[in-house]
Amino acid sequence: MTITLKSEKEIEIMRKGGRRHAEILGVLAGMVKPGLSTLILEEEALRLIKEGGDRAAFLGYQPAGAKRPYPAALCISINDEIVHGIPNEAERILRDGDIVSIDLGLIHNGLITDSAITILCGAVDDEGRKLIEITRLALEKGIEAAKPGNTIGDIGAAISKVVSATPFSLAKDLAGHGVGHKVHEEPLVPNAGRAGKGEKLVAGMVLAIEPMVNVGSGEIKISPDGYTIKTKDGSRSAHFEHTVAITEKGNIILTS
Ligand code: MG
Ligand code: MG
């Protein structure tokens, strides 16, 4: 396993990109409303990224095993879609009560940050609100565990502790990852980790931590478009992600 540690200077660049990243997600979150086409969100994201002098990391990115490059800047995953929903395929219009995950990868001065949020569209029922709240809390606890002296397994243990206290499930086979020079770098950061197991966390590691939580079972399936990952049982799923740098003293959330 080769983990690329980032220098303080690189982390500073990622912090600048990450601030911009958070601003863009904030603007997009504010646009979410019933009747809006996901294409409009995609176009606005492209405009804002360009305006900041940056580039979209997912657009044209071809992950290992994919048959074609990813065709958009955003992944927009609605309700039973867990991750990698494509905004500019078919007519995807947001409806009242939807829960909408928006995932963005941003390249600032050659370095990539990765962050996602899940937004309520209109009036969302109690279960959907609870799902989002738990997923956000799972990310928060995962980030708290991401500090030097701990291990990769401690992050997942903290995340799964939050989720296992609820009726919800972590989406199986989907994990966080190292990030920076590439969208996906080592190490893998599983959401269901075991305390004390896995790679030791050291200053200079930059990790995308990203719990994905389903209302029903954790089983997943891939759609015919080759990218969109859905819950197998059709239940809803939420997703929050931050890019986090491990430092000597603890960590810095780069995408806040
Ligand atoms: Mg992401
Ligand atoms: Mg990611």
Side-chain angles (χ1 to χ4, degrees), residues 66-183:
K67 290 199 176 75
R68 58 175 175 140
Y70 189 74
L74 298 177
C75 298
I76 303 182
S77 309
I78 306 166
N79 297 331
D80 65 326
E81 297 169 349
I82 304 169
V83 283
H84 308 163
I86 303 172
N88 54 357
E89 275 204 352
E91 292 235 321
R92 291 157 50 78
I93 310 294
L94 301 182
R95 288 173 305 188
D96 189 39
D98 282 347
I99 62 171
V100 184
S101 149
I102 304 177
D103 194 348
L104 171 68
L106 190 76
I107 309 174
H108 176 75
N109 280 3
L111 288 162
I112 298 167
T113 48
D114 190 2
S115 179
I117 48 175
T118 300
I119 309 296
L120 306 162
C121 180
V124 174
D125 62 19
D126 288 347
E127 183 186 60
R129 287 174 176 272
K130 185 77 184 165
L131 177 69
I132 288 174
E133 186 189 311
I134 289 299
T135 312
R136 193 192 279 116
L137 181 65
L139 174 59
E140 190 184 310
K141 293 297 174 187
I143 292 171
E144 276 175 25
K147 55 187 183 187
N150 274 2
T151 66
I152 291 290
D154 288 316
I155 297 174
I159 289 171
S160 53
K161 189 179 172 195
V162 171
V163 179
S164 62
T166 72
F168 306 142
S169 314
L170 282 165
K172 284 181 186 164
D173 307 323
L174 298 170
H177 50 92
V179 64
H181 301 290
K182 292 187 284 184
V183 173

Side-chain angles (χ1 to χ4, degrees), residues 143 146 205-209 242-246 251-255:
I143 292 171
M205 277 185 180
V206 178
L207 306 172
I209 302 175
H242 270 308
T243 296
V244 176
I246 310 297
N251 69 51
I252 306 168
I253 302 173
L254 300 176
T255 44

